[in-house]
Structures are given as structure tokens and as C-alpha cells.
Amino acid sequence: MTTPTHSKVQARGLALLPLIVFLAIFLGSGIYHSIIGTAFAFYQMKAPVAALPAIILAILIYRGKINTAIDAFLKGASHPNLILMFMVFMLAGAFASVSSAIGSVDATVQFGLSIISPEFVLPMLFVISAFIATAMGTSMGTIAACAPIAFGFSQATDIQPIYAIGAVVSGAMFGDNLSMISDTTIAATRSLNVELRDKFRVNVWIALPAAILTILIYILNTQPSQHIEYKEYDIWLMLPYLAVFSLAFTRLHVLAVLTIGIVLSGIIGLVAQPNFEILKFNNAIYDGFVGMFEVALLSMFLGGLSAIMQKEGGLQWLIQRIYAITRCFKVGKQRAGEIGISFLVIFSNLFVANNTVAIILSGDMAREVAHEYGVDPKRAAALMDIFSCVIQGIIPYGAQLLLACSIAKLSPIELIGSIYYCWILAIFAIIAIIFRIPKLKTA
């Protein structure tokens, strides 16, 4: 094997300095606020703002005219894949906001509670959270909806809060990874230029066995508990989730799927909820836009920054370093590439504490590595999504753990060991790399 080279672009490690600056500002702020005891320490510094100094630096060290560097940034930020990603983020946020406003979240949760057998509280908490997260495409929304109920279970039964909350976070990360409308799925598939359904077909062979094993562990460790009461719910409020979940498996464009979900949620809300009116529908959509604006804007900023780094040879330099490291592994070329792609997203996620941002940040690099090592883009997209969700689910400064622990009054460090699914998923992903699972048909 020979080291990959690019005749058009000279590899240049200095081109990665802007990215290091971004990570230093973002991570440094999080560490500082952690030391002084600020809640949600790693989310005090807004990521798009932290990206601005990095963008300025990238333009200043560009080997050429400033106007040329700005043009390169704008071209990268306006790439069709990024524009599509931006639109999907906006519509996904709007759908989650509207469906929550009309009571779909509560109805889905209460439906799940109505079928829970007392001795299967933990496995059912995992299943309910997994279903909601897969339908909603957001782990944060799932945790916000389910963690209070899980904490209530622990207060009314002998189940320790750490296990109940751990089951909810585990299920939430399952859906965040596997859902077709999850921002991590969208970011991974757009970055690798693959179809949602193709990435799903690879991902499900790794995620589903991990979920089944997680459920078995919960069943084996469960203890009898008292009867669990549930509130009345309107089953029709579940229809938007079911519709989006079903349509996501068709060939209908993701923008159309999300738009249908938003419209259907609005119609059901206007018909079934007396207090839900046109103005509230309007506000719910806009609130969803606002909630997704940060990650959507950051995706464009990082897309432009990545374009400059690639034009300056930074990505090529990093690929060569990864290549040199992975050559130390006595494995095949494709396995080495998959290990390198996994490392890219793992280290990115550890720095930025946001799995979507980690995928966006390492997406171009992963695409280059996949090309150089002959890794199937579908496998690359699945592995990126998997390892980003694994890390996001167990880092104590991630939003998911911070939110769950704030609801249940737990320490994030204390909760890490109880998020069984993420640890099991990591093991299954490693097995999938070693044994080339699943076997993909070559075109």
C-alpha cells in the first residue's frame, strides 16, 4: 500500500489550525464553566460564535488573495448538500415543536405506559424511549418527555433512579442513531452522499442486535414492582409520528416527509385541541426553527471552513496521518479505513460534545478516507452515526446526560455506567468492523 497523494493540492498541516482554534475556544469555554460550576457548562459558548475566529484565521492564512479565500468559504457554505441539510434541520425542528405542542409526545408516552407490565418497567422504558426517539428523530426531546416519568417510576417503586434514567437515555440514543429524521442520520448521509434507506439497512444490523441485548439485560435484572398508573390519552395524537415514521421508509423526499408531518400535526391540533389555534401553530413552527437554527448555521460555517481547509491541503494532511496510524493495524485496507473514520468522529465528538456537529466537522474528512481506503459510503455513514451517538451518550458534559441528570438530580459521572445501550452498541460496532458485518452486495 502507498500513502495517498493528491497532485492538485499540497498537504499542509497548518491548514488545520483554524479547526484547532475552534475546538480550543469551544472546549476551553466548557472546561472553564465546569470549573466554576455553571450548569450546562459546555453549552454556554455558542458554537457558531466560536467558529467565527476560526473562519477569520482560515481566511488570513490562506495562500492567496483574501477575496479568493472568502469566495472559497462561501462556495463551501453554500454547497447543495449543506443547503439541503439546513432545510431538513429547520423542518425537523418544526415537526418536533408542533407535534409536542399538540400533545403528541404526551399521548405517545401515555400509550406506552398503558401497556407496561409492572415487572418490565426498565425494558419498557427503553422501548418507549427508543420508539419516541426514532419517530421524533431527537434524543433531547425524548429525554425531556420520558425522563420525568422514569424518575417518577423510581420514586414509586424500588427501581433506583440511575437505572430508570439510564434506560431512557439508552433508548433515546438508539432513536437518535437509527431514526431517518434524526439530525445525525441526515448529517451522516449528506456528508457521505448516500440515501437514508441505504444507511439504515447497514445501521440496523448493528443497532438492533445491540438493542435486543440491552432489553435482555434489563429483563434479567428486573424486579417486581407495584402497579403503574397512566393518564388518559388521545390515540389520534400519535398519528403524526406514525405517519412520518412510515413515510420515512418510502422513496418520498425527506423534505416532503417532514412537511407532511408538520401539516398533519397542525390539522390534528386544530381539530382535536380546543386551545390550539392558527397563531399557536405558527409560533410552534417558528420555535422549531429557532431550536434548530444554531446547529443549522454552524453546519454552514463549518462547511465553509472545511472548504478552505481542503483547498489548503489540511484534509489531505490529516488523511495521510490517519493512513500512517492505521497502517500499524494488522488488518485489511477497508477495516483500517473504517477504524480511521470511527476515530475521526470519536475525537471530534469528544471535543465538541455534540454528535451532529462532530459528524458535520469530520464529514468531508471521512468522505476522503472512505474514498482512499475503498470503504463503502453506506458503511462509513453508519459507523459515523453509530460512534457519534455512542460518545454523545456517555460523555458527562453532553447535553443528553446533563438534561437527564438535571431532571433526576443525579451526577452525570454517576450515570455513565448505567447507559448500557451505548456501551453495547460500541462493542457491536467494533465486531461489525472486524467481521465485515453486514455483508454488502457490490454493484
Side-chain angles (χ1 to χ4, degrees):
M1 292 187 290
T2 58
T3 303
T5 58
H6 296 260
S7 57
K8 294 183 179 180
V9 180
Q10 181 183 356
R12 186 188 184 208
L14 181 64
L16 294 176
L17 182 60
L19 177 59
I20 296 173
V21 168
F22 166 69
L23 295 177
I25 294 173
F26 195 76
L27 186 61
S29 171
I31 293 173
Y32 169 75
H33 284 285
S34 294
I35 293 173
I36 65 175
T38 306
F40 288 82
F42 281 80
Y43 293 85
Q44 297 302 308
M45 169 62 72
K46 300 303 180 183
V49 178
L52 289 176
I55 294 171
I56 294 172
L57 177 61
I59 292 173
L60 291 177
I61 66 174
Y62 184 83
R63 292 175 293 185
K65 296 180 180 179
I66 288 181
N67 287 355
T68 305
I70 294 175
D71 288 340
F73 171 81
L74 293 175
K75 187 175 181 180
S78 60
H79 191 280
N81 284 342
L82 283 174
I83 298 299
L84 174 60
M85 195 183 299
F86 188 99
M87 291 296 297
V88 173
F89 285 155
M90 294 291 103
L91 292 179
F95 172 70
S97 177
V98 174
S99 59
S100 177
I102 68 172
S104 290
V105 173
D106 291 336
T108 305
V109 170
Q110 296 304 324
F111 167 76
L113 297 179
S114 69
I115 60 175
I116 290 180
S117 178
E119 62 269 21
F120 295 123
V121 173
L122 288 178
M124 285 307 296
L125 277 176
F126 174 82
V127 171
I128 292 169
S129 300
F131 174 78
I132 294 174
T134 303
M136 291 178 65
T138 167
S139 55
M140 289 292 287
T142 301
I143 292 171
C146 298
I149 297 172
F151 185 61
F153 285 169
S154 67
Q155 298 297 99
T157 66
D158 295 331
I159 298 174
Q160 295 183 32
I162 193 171
Y163 297 121
I165 298 299
V168 168
V169 176
S170 291
M173 298 316 297
F174 171 88
D176 199 358
N177 170 223
L178 207 56
S179 173
M180 287 199 180
I181 61 172
S182 166
D183 48 3
T184 59
T185 295
I186 294 162
T189 53
R190 289 296 90 198
S191 296
L192 273 297
N193 296 322
V194 300
E195 295 292 333
L196 291 171
R197 59 183 179 274
D198 292 333
K199 177 262 185 187
F200 177 86
R201 288 167 184 160
V202 176
N203 207 152
V204 71
W205 283 98
I206 303 172
L208 191 58
I212 292 172
L213 181 56
T214 302
I215 293 171
L216 289 175
I217 291 175
Y218 282 132
I219 291 175
L220 293 175
N221 291 339
T222 193
Q223 296 178 354
S225 55
Q226 63 192 65
H227 178 67
I228 301 168
E229 297 182 357
Y230 61 93
K231 300 176 184 177
E232 293 295 325
Y233 60 91
D234 185 350
I235 196 168
W236 289 106
L237 293 178
M238 296 174 56
L239 187 58
Y241 288 152
L242 295 174
V244 168
F245 186 72
S246 300
L247 290 173
F249 286 88
T250 68
R251 293 184 178 273
L252 193 61
H253 197 286
V254 63
L255 296 183
V257 171
L258 290 172
T259 301
I260 291 172
I262 294 169
V263 173
L264 184 58
S265 296
I267 293 173
I268 292 176
L270 293 170
V271 173
Q273 301 289 13
N275 296 327
F276 191 81
E277 51 193 24
I278 292 292
L279 188 58
K280 287 188 176 180
F281 184 30
N282 167 79
N283 292 337
I285 292 175
Y286 186 74
D287 288 343
F289 289 165
V290 172
M292 282 290 192
F293 181 73
E294 181 179 342
V295 67
L297 179 62
L298 182 61
S299 69
M300 298 187 74
F301 279 178
L302 293 181
L305 184 62
S306 177
I308 294 179
M309 291 191 300
Q310 187 170 14
K311 204 172 185 65
E312 283 291 278
L315 300 182
Q316 285 73 20
W317 183 89
L318 184 60
I319 290 169
Q320 291 173 6
R321 302 288 83 73
I322 295 173
Y323 187 92
I325 293 172
T326 52
R327 285 186 66 187
C328 298
F329 295 103
K330 301 302 181 182
V331 295
K333 183 179 179 181
Q334 291 182 345
R335 290 187 182 90
E338 291 176 2
I339 292 171
I341 290 169
S342 302
F343 279 158
L344 275 175
V345 76
I346 286 171
F347 286 112
S348 296
N349 211 147
L350 288 173
F351 276 112
V352 301
N354 184 306
N355 48 350
T356 304
V357 174
I359 293 173
I360 295 170
L361 197 60
S362 56
D364 285 340
M365 305 177 195
R367 187 169 60 251
E368 288 287 337
V369 172
H371 176 73
E372 295 291 347
Y373 286 75
V375 177
D376 190 299
K378 297 187 286 293
R379 285 183 64 88
L383 289 172
M384 285 186 72
D385 199 347
I386 287 170
F387 280 104
S388 71
C389 288
V390 165
I391 298 300
Q392 189 66 27
I394 60 176
I395 51 175
Y397 48 88
Q400 285 78 0
L401 263 65
L402 292 174
L403 174 62
C405 290
S406 67
I407 292 173
K409 299 177 176 61
L410 295 171
S411 165
I413 300 295
E414 182 184 14
L415 184 61
I416 292 173
S418 299
I419 305 173
Y420 299 150
Y421 174 73
C422 288
W423 296 105
I424 296 172
L425 180 61
I427 294 172
F428 273 78
I430 293 171
I431 292 173
I433 292 175
I434 295 173
F435 295 101
R436 308 292 300 156
I437 300 172
K439 303 293 185 182
L440 298 179
K441 295 180 180 179
T442 56

